[in-house]
Amino acid sequence: MHQLKSNLVWVALMFWVGIAQVYWQLGPHIASYSNASLHTSAYEILKGLTLLGSDILILLLGYFLSQKWRRESTIIKTWLNTLVLGVLASILVAFSTNQLAKVTVFHNDFFNAVFPLLRNTHPLIFGSLLGLILTAVINDQRFIWRRPTLIGIWSLVIVSLFWTPNIWGWTSNHLTLFYALLFVLGANIKHESHHRKWILITGLGLLITVVLQGIMPFMSIDGQTASRFTTPTNIFTVLAAYGIVKIAVNHLGQPNWRSLYSYLTLIENTALLASVQLIVKLHNAYGSLKAGIITIIFLLFALACSYVWCRLSTGNFAKRHLQQIDRFTSQSADEQFQLIKQRLNSWMPNIILGFISYLIAALSMLLMNDGFSVSPNVDATYNIFAYTFGQRELLLLFTAFLIFAVIKFIQALTNRYWIGLISVIAISAVFIVANHEKIVARNEPILPADLAMVRVAKNLFGMVDGVVWVAALLTLVILIAITIWLEKTHPVKNTVGGGNTTVAICPPSTVLICDSVFVEPSKYSL
């Protein structure tokens, strides 16, 4: 019964956080109030109460997550979960509608999922992970500045009360650092029996927050500072959340971490949020009630998807890889470095293939022009390099992927690394040069219709200068010789799998990664 109550509280908190993350981004009619009126005051108070949920969640995450002893493993698993689920969501949204381009760009959503920390997305998730790292440092017994550091964190939050809330850049989605500091505060919450004191602190914090948010629209001169205290960084909001967590931790159990972080991934995914915004836009559902209904439906959908994803991620395939992460993080730093080095060496052939595939794709796009500028439409002219690597980066990556796939296919057929690589390089070079020459001569690339010229290939070959044929023949002979030499002196076996499969015999205290399978050498012998 206690576990059921705890789970219901966590679900309610997840909905609370979801409303703060989704509802206000839909631009409901209630959010359009900005003049000095009771409507604006009600809007600021309502929004402020929803933002309180995010602070409560981060503090609770700090309290419970800091108790996990496999911190490195938790960080890696959470990032991989965010990466895989976020990329899948972005791909599904991109294929679901052709109207989405009006409100979002697919490659931006893709990179948000792949590099969430660098692009400052998913602040709730990666704020908590960054906070977990900071907690490990601050709560270390050898760290003598723990108490001054905690006082410093509280001071940073208090300072924003006397200046603008954005003094540290903590606005909108740029809250990763703030949530990390809040996580540290949550990790240092202690059990206390004096609930009356914290009930009083929580009540005063909420009261002061509501009063400030209610009177600020009437005190703002131009309306731009009406939301000064309607932020999760408001010190009184933080105090109220801290007091609630102080009281609640005695009555809550550990949440389902996979389901929780999967849910946060979905409600913070920019592609999914853009699709919800598109629904509101297409149906003109900016009314406060309609936007609220759409928000609730989306949150129910996210909760159901997170539950299904959690069930899928507990299968045998996922368990095997998650156990590998646990075993990897349980080793010393030197052993981890050796394992990473071994795995990079096994991946190096494919890394080289990827780099060469990208280079071939870039050259094929750059040489489709006979100058250093390109005009894709009548209104704009771009530098060819800026256009290729800036405007067409997604097409460039897709082309590189296709070339990489062709190389791997040939290598799979021949079981020879260098034959597949050099043959594709040679064919690509011929195609790029021929394509460039046709563009220079006729201002058009090689088209599928040009394949019909194969029927008169004998006549076409007769028009080619003999010197060209000699040069081509010599080049072909040189390439064949280089290929044979490389296959004999630098063979790369099992290239389809990414490297050789080897079993290393090591001391029983170590565990090695061998072809993506952890082998405990103490159980095996020659």
Side-chain angles (χ1 to χ4, degrees), residues 192-200 246-247 250-251:
E192 289 192 21
S193 58
H194 303 291
H195 284 174
R196 291 184 179 180
K197 177 182 70 174
W198 287 106
I199 291 174
L200 179 61
K246 271 275 193 179
I247 299 170
N250 295 327
H251 310 285

Side-chain angles (χ1 to χ4, degrees), residues 6 14 26 42 164 178 187 274 279 301 378 401 414 447 451 495:
S6 177
M14 290 163 68
L26 302 183
T164 58
F178 169 74
I279 293 174
F301 168 78
V378 296
F401 171 76
T414 61
L447 303 173
L451 297 177
T495 56

Side-chain angles (χ1 to χ4, degrees), residues 275-293:
S275 63
V276 177
Q277 290 172 341
L278 181 62
I279 293 174
V280 172
K281 182 178 181 180
L282 294 178
H283 295 84
N284 195 26
Y286 292 103
S288 302
L289 180 59
K290 290 183 179 179
I293 294 174

